[in-house]
Amino acid sequence: MDLHILDHRLRVTSICKNGLVNFTHPLIKLIFLRKRTRCKFFSLTETPENFTVVLDEEGFKELQPSEHLQVESSVWLPLNVISNGNASNSSQAVGVTKIAKSVIAPLAQQHVSVFMLSTYQTDFILVREKDLAVVIHTLEEEFNIYREVGGEYSAVLSQDVRNGFQKNGKEAPQPTVHPVLIPPNQFCVMSLDPDTLPAIATTLIDALFYSSSPKEGALPSQDLDCIKFFSFSLIDGYVSLVMDTEAQRQFPADLLFTSSSGELWRMVRIGGQPLGFDECGIVAQISQPLADSDISAYYISTFSFDHALVPEEDIVSVTEMLQQHRKEPAC
């Protein structure tokens, strides 16, 4: 398999809910006016706590410093696993399940923190730029590694990135087993032709910026345990949307497309307190058991918490599996 280091230098940011009004103009520009900005990697995810915005340096220039904006200090690089010439998106188990053993677990063993962003098309593994040498040394036996520069890929050899690298010889610390929450929402993972974005502009703006406002004629939510989660990504010209079925009903069905099975997903939300960015092994402790059971999963990290999406038909077994995992004594 091939591992591509993509030609994006990313920043991970958070906009607080009551400060969103200060950023609506740049966010609308980044979503709908692609020709007015040079941003090629943009992702916006709303959770109950905040809005997580992941974007490249060109997009980051659009966000003015503000007391309402938090910025993680590191520059992050996106990695992408390529299998048989295609991004990891076959009809078999999808998402982090396919890369749990080959990428995520080895990086956790080397104390490398990862930030995951699964989309309809593929899975991006974000690593800190300062950790790149460790990443390459850790994964070079499993993958042919290539780095993208200006749209061209060239092979990366471990000696090219030594820079005083020392492989971690210590046993990775046992990661904290974080509490999980499984809300009752059913989720959809979808895409659309980016040229049709103008046709859903008002609906998308409503979903992103006015979702907490009461809708005229809308009935109150029947399940107060449902949580708000909406993710929009526009990366290298490809659009990905993750939303629950209640939000999906607001969109014209003929413009959104999903897998042929039309699968519904359930969420496993990881973390009782904000997770931070330095702890290693959080993704691995969820993705490894799923991989062992060959259960597909999308995984979306945000500024405060992590979120795994698993097929609805597997949610009972996933719940039991995670409960058992929490009971097992640390080695």
Side-chain angles (χ1 to χ4, degrees):
M1 290 189 294
D2 294 345
L3 181 73
H4 289 180
I5 305 166
L6 303 180
D7 193 12
H8 300 292
R9 301 179 78 243
L10 307 178
R11 304 305 300 268
V12 179
T13 73
S14 170
I15 300 172
C16 65
K17 287 293 184 80
N18 61 8
L20 181 66
V21 64
N22 300 287
F23 295 93
T24 49
H25 179 265
L27 291 175
I28 287 173
K29 181 180 178 182
L30 288 163
I31 294 170
F32 296 107
L33 304 177
R34 288 178 292 150
K35 295 181 180 179
R36 301 282 185 91
T37 173
R38 298 172 63 185
C39 180
K40 300 293 190 295
F41 195 113
F42 173 81
S43 177
L44 171 64
T45 302
E46 181 184 2
T47 62
E49 299 75 28
N50 49 41
F51 292 85
T52 296
V53 185
V54 182
L55 68 180
D56 61 24
E57 291 181 316
E58 289 296 327
F60 185 60
K61 293 176 183 177
E62 302 287 340
L63 304 183
Q64 296 300 313
S66 165
E67 63 180 337
H68 303 292
L69 178 70
Q70 286 184 272
V71 182
E72 204 283 322
S73 60
S74 303
V75 171
W76 296 76
L77 303 178
L79 314 179
N80 191 212
V81 173
I82 306 295
S83 180
N84 298 323
N86 296 309
S88 179
N89 60 356
S90 74
S91 59
Q92 299 174 350
V94 299
V96 292
T97 300
K98 299 189 69 173
I99 56 177
K101 296 179 181 178
S102 59
V103 179
I104 296 171
L107 291 181
Q109 284 295 114
Q110 292 302 318
H111 303 185
V112 175
S113 178
V114 301
F115 187 97
M116 286 296 306
L117 179 59
S118 293
T119 67
Y120 178 86
Q121 292 81 16
T122 189
D123 303 281
F124 298 100
I125 310 114
L126 276 58
V127 298
R128 286 186 171 97
E129 189 173 49
K130 66 181 180 63
D131 290 333
L132 185 59
V134 182
V135 171
I136 291 172
H137 280 266
T138 302
L139 302 179
E140 62 182 345
E141 292 185 7
E142 181 77 22
F143 295 94
N144 300 311
I145 302 177
Y146 299 89
R147 186 160 194 174
E148 180 189 16
V149 178
E152 300 291 329
Y153 287 92
S154 57
V156 176
L157 303 176
S158 59
Q159 56 263 36
D160 297 336
V161 289
R162 285 197 187 280
N163 296 331
F165 166 79
Q166 287 187 333
K167 192 165 184 177
N168 168 45
K170 299 180 181 179
E171 183 76 16
Q174 190 72 19
T176 302
V177 178
H178 293 280
V180 299
L181 172 68
I182 302 176
N185 313 49
Q186 297 173 311
F187 289 89
C188 311
V189 181
M190 296 169 293
S191 183
L192 57 78
D193 183 338
D195 291 335
T196 65
L197 271 173
I200 65 164
T202 54
T203 306
L204 187 56
I205 289 172
D206 185 55
L208 287 171
F209 303 126
Y210 299 99
S211 60
S212 58
S213 303
K215 304 293 189 297
E216 184 177 347
L219 296 174
S221 175
Q222 297 298 309
D223 199 327
L224 299 178
D225 292 329
C226 291
I227 70 166
K228 176 64 182 179
F229 187 91
F230 189 101
S231 184
F232 171 90
S233 298
L234 178 55
I235 300 173
D236 290 329
Y238 292 97
V239 175
S240 178
L241 290 154
V242 179
M243 67 186 83
D244 65 16
T245 51
E246 183 176 348
Q248 182 200 17
R249 286 192 286 270
Q250 309 301 318
F251 288 82
D254 59 328
L255 294 181
L256 300 178
F257 51 87
T258 184
S259 63
S260 58
S261 62
E263 198 160 30
L264 293 176
W265 302 78
R266 292 286 300 277
M267 175 181 290
V268 178
R269 175 179 155 106
I270 301 101
Q273 298 293 325
L275 298 172
F277 292 87
D278 295 325
E279 184 180 343
C280 305
I282 298 174
V283 181
Q285 71 175 246
I286 299 296
S287 62
Q288 189 70 43
L290 295 176
D292 291 340
S293 300
D294 200 30
I295 295 175
S296 296
Y298 292 95
Y299 200 104
I300 299 176
S301 302
T302 62
F303 207 87
S304 299
F305 299 101
D306 281 7
H307 310 79
L309 293 171
V310 301
E312 184 175 41
E313 64 191 37
D314 294 319
I315 191 61
V316 173
S317 59
V318 168
T319 302
E320 294 173 350
M321 179 177 60
L322 293 176
Q323 289 175 342
Q324 181 62 34
H325 180 64
R326 290 178 60 81
K327 294 176 182 177
E328 292 176 355
C331 299

